[in-house]
Amino acid sequence: PPAPRLASTSSTVTGGAAAGGGFFDLPPPVDSSSSTYALKPIPSPPPPAADPSTDSAREPKRMRTGGGSTSSSSSSSSSLDGGRTRSSVVEAAPPAAQASAGASGPAVPVVVVDTQEAGIRLVHALLACAEAVQQENFTAAEALVKQIPMLASSQGGAMRKVAAYFGEALARRVYRFRPAPDSSLLDAAFADLLHAHFYESCPYLKFAHFTANQAILEAFAGCRRVHVVDFGIKQGMQWPALLQALALRPGGPPSFRLTGVGPPQPDETDALQQVGWKLAQFAHTIRVDFQYRGLVAATLADLEPFMLQPDGEDTDGEPEVIAVNSVFELHRLLAQPGALEKVLGTVRAVRPRIVTVVEQEANHNSGSFLDRFTESLHYYSTMFDSLEGAGSGNSAAEASPAPAGGTDQV
């Protein structure tokens, strides 16, 4: 039978042509502490007589609301008790989102983002954009490069940083923007600061220095005059540990001479001399006979053998033992034809007792643009993940740009 019209419910449905037949007037807020909030069955008049067999076989019906009519939004239910049909209507509880006072506007849509799915889409967008750039399809590349920041914003930690750097590199390719190098006075000091942060937070460079120092220390065993040629001295962070190990050597420390090679500074300051002063002060503190010389060279190919020759023999006839150290420097010579062969010839001419070479095994410097991009993306994602997991590496990863040889080469 048709459901009766109930006037006791508080929520209504407003329909009509102007409203589109589907807009609901929200019920007023209900105080959950009030006793009137309890669910109460509302009796209805008995239905008209009908065939019991037909009524018992009929399924319960629910009230329908249609456009252009006003009816109750309460739900009705039917139950069978001893062959007699009873109907009850339960008042609908207001939505939880609208339970607060004054909530009368439309509901604000909530967008739930799956970060894992967004991360996969982000990687696919980066690789697809790189492939479009390789094929010189800049229309598709531009559409993809605009999606990368939005997808990267849903990520956190290392992936967000890596995507930002590689997205910027792709945007420069798409829009053919190559910024002029900044030669301001702040660059050199800021680069040194970032390098110091990177050294403190990343274990890879420390481990490389420790391993090279251990090999040099063993090669210098029993020698009274030693000479180390560092192809990339930078801030000289590698050598205080070696000086301290030599100072604790049985029989006393040897006479230590250090030749540091570095590039010219944009501000034309003598940064190598400052590094030498710091090391000399440390050596004086631990009572090690120390000499230092800095060589400014735009590239290692500019070095000549006479610049690295030993000083000769001392009064006791003790020769000077040479060690050549190169940490992440030789790969820079690959872009210069014949440069690597010239540097190796210079090294052979000084006849060192040991040569320590530290390089990263990565092939993101060769192949097609897409191959280089893919290898670089994997490499720096791993690098930044390790910085995030290092605890203190969070601040350094936030502040420092990608290491040299990364997105600049993309």
Side-chain angles (χ1 to χ4, degrees):
R5 180 181 300 273
L6 300 177
S8 61
T9 57
S10 59
S11 59
T12 59
V13 178
T14 304
F23 290 87
F24 290 79
D25 289 338
L26 298 176
V30 179
D31 185 6
S32 60
S33 62
S34 174
S35 60
T36 60
Y37 187 74
L39 301 179
K40 297 180 181 180
I42 301 177
S44 59
D51 188 1
S53 61
T54 305
D55 291 343
S56 60
R58 181 176 300 174
E59 295 182 358
K61 290 186 177 181
R62 295 193 179 191
M63 297 174 59
R64 290 187 178 181
T65 60
S69 63
T70 303
S71 61
S72 169
S73 66
S74 302
S75 60
S76 64
S77 60
S78 301
S79 62
L80 299 178
D81 184 10
R84 183 179 177 184
T85 303
R86 296 186 304 172
S87 300
S88 63
V89 180
V90 180
E91 291 187 13
Q98 302 294 338
S100 60
S104 59
V108 178
V110 178
V111 180
V112 180
V113 179
D114 188 347
T115 57
Q116 183 176 5
E117 180 183 355
I120 296 175
R121 291 176 58 192
L122 174 60
V123 175
H124 288 176
L126 287 168
L127 297 179
C129 185
E131 185 176 4
V133 170
Q134 177 176 279
Q135 298 174 355
E136 297 185 355
N137 185 0
F138 293 105
T139 302
E142 182 179 5
L144 289 167
V145 82
K146 291 180 179 178
Q147 299 179 11
I148 293 175
M150 180 183 62
L151 295 173
S153 63
S154 65
Q155 303 300 302
M159 189 59 198
R160 184 171 184 170
K161 301 181 184 74
V162 174
Y165 291 127
F166 279 79
E168 179 183 355
L170 287 172
R172 291 180 179 181
R173 285 273 185 163
V174 171
Y175 297 108
R176 298 172 177 86
F177 172 70
R178 296 189 178 275
D182 187 8
S183 59
S184 63
L185 299 180
L186 183 63
D187 286 345
F190 189 60
D192 291 342
L193 177 63
L194 293 181
H195 186 267
H197 277 295
F198 181 75
Y199 187 82
E200 291 298 327
S201 59
C202 183
Y204 304 130
L205 196 54
K206 288 183 179 180
F207 180 77
H209 286 173
F210 172 80
T211 308
N213 285 348
Q214 183 64 29
I216 294 174
L217 185 64
E218 295 176 0
F220 284 170
C223 301
R224 304 305 307 170
R225 299 176 64 243
V226 297
H227 179 199
V228 174
V229 178
D230 189 358
F231 279 167
I233 192 168
K234 294 183 174 64
Q235 295 176 335
M237 296 178 177
Q238 179 177 352
W239 306 119
L242 181 62
L243 286 170
Q244 191 169 9
L246 291 174
L248 299 176
R249 195 179 68 173
S255 175
F256 187 85
R257 188 161 69 98
L258 176 63
T259 299
V261 182
Q265 297 298 312
D267 53 1
E268 299 182 358
T269 58
D270 195 351
L272 297 181
Q273 183 181 11
Q274 298 175 9
V275 173
W277 275 112
K278 293 179 182 179
L279 293 175
Q281 292 176 358
F282 180 77
H284 177 73
T285 303
I286 60 177
R287 298 180 179 180
V288 174
D289 183 15
F290 179 80
Q291 298 179 17
Y292 175 82
R293 179 174 60 179
L295 296 178
V296 178
T299 175
L300 295 178
D302 296 336
L303 297 178
E304 298 295 338
F306 72 89
M307 301 178 182
L308 312 178
Q309 290 294 339
D311 287 341
E313 298 180 357
D314 60 3
T315 56
D316 297 333
E318 183 76 16
E320 186 179 69
V321 179
I322 297 180
V324 176
N325 181 75
S326 176
V327 178
F328 301 136
E329 295 294 332
L330 295 183
H331 72 277
R332 305 175 186 273
L333 303 174
L334 298 177
Q336 309 173 33
L340 184 58
E341 290 75 9
K342 185 179 185 301
V343 172
L344 295 179
T346 303
V347 171
R348 295 189 190 98
V350 299
R351 302 177 64 85
R353 175 170 292 189
I354 184 173
V355 178
T356 54
V357 177
V358 178
E359 285 294 343
Q360 58 191 10
E361 183 179 0
N363 57 350
H364 53 255
N365 291 321
S366 60
S368 64
F369 173 78
L370 181 59
D371 294 338
R372 299 196 311 271
F373 186 91
T374 305
E375 292 293 337
S376 300
L377 183 62
H378 291 167
Y379 173 81
Y380 286 110
S381 297
T382 306
M383 174 69 73
F384 275 70
D385 280 337
S386 66
L387 288 174
E388 290 289 333
S392 63
N394 248 346
S395 59
E398 289 282 357
S400 60
T407 54
D408 291 341
Q409 293 185 0
V410 172

